[in-house]
Amino acid sequence: LKAVNIPAKVFLTNKKGYPTMAKSHQVLLAELLKRIGRTLRIIVEGPPAHEGLSNGGSTKCLPYKQYIEYIRSKEVVQEILDTEEASLETPYLDNLQRPLQPL
């Protein structure tokens, strides 16, 4: 598993108008991050469901990115992703998955 596509419709709106996820989606995303780790790509698909938010950029994707970073920064996820072993193995993950090349 290299990427997870999340439709923008999945995000709910909190009291301030920013995107958030239901608790069950938060748990699922956190578990994926814990099990797959740093190499997991998260893609938010579809038109932004939170049109009212613009942070000065031409796209309205920044609130979604910030929310995903918030999920990744939770202590439960960081305990697993930021261990010394995880940081040492990260550069080698792509090399380990390549098939052997014929000589």
Side-chain angles (χ1 to χ4, degrees):
L1 186 66
K2 292 193 177 213
V4 174
N5 292 335
I6 302 174
K9 296 179 206 174
V10 169
F11 288 89
L12 306 172
T13 306
N14 67 7
K15 293 177 184 176
K16 295 184 179 182
Y18 287 95
T20 186
M21 289 179 142
K23 201 65 158 171
S24 59
H25 290 118
Q26 289 179 20
V27 170
L28 176 65
L29 184 58
E31 284 298 318
L32 285 170
L33 286 169
K34 287 193 296 188
R35 294 180 188 274
I36 298 169
R38 298 173 182 267
T39 61
L40 181 67
R41 305 286 186 242
I42 300 171
I43 303 165
V44 178
E45 288 185 318
H50 301 82
E51 294 289 335
L53 301 173
S54 63
N55 293 334
S58 60
T59 65
K60 296 179 177 143
C61 298
L62 184 61
Y64 297 103
K65 179 181 177 289
Q66 290 171 337
Y67 185 75
I68 291 169
E69 287 174 349
Y70 163 73
I71 296 291
R72 196 242 179 253
S73 69
K74 286 188 174 183
E75 186 175 337
V76 179
V77 177
Q78 275 190 341
E79 286 175 355
I80 294 173
L81 292 182
D82 294 339
T83 62
E84 185 178 350
E85 292 85 12
S87 61
L88 289 174
E89 73 181 10
T90 300
Y92 298 102
L93 289 177
D94 289 336
N95 292 331
L96 293 174
Q97 294 176 359
R98 289 187 189 150
L100 294 174
Q101 298 296 322
L103 298 175

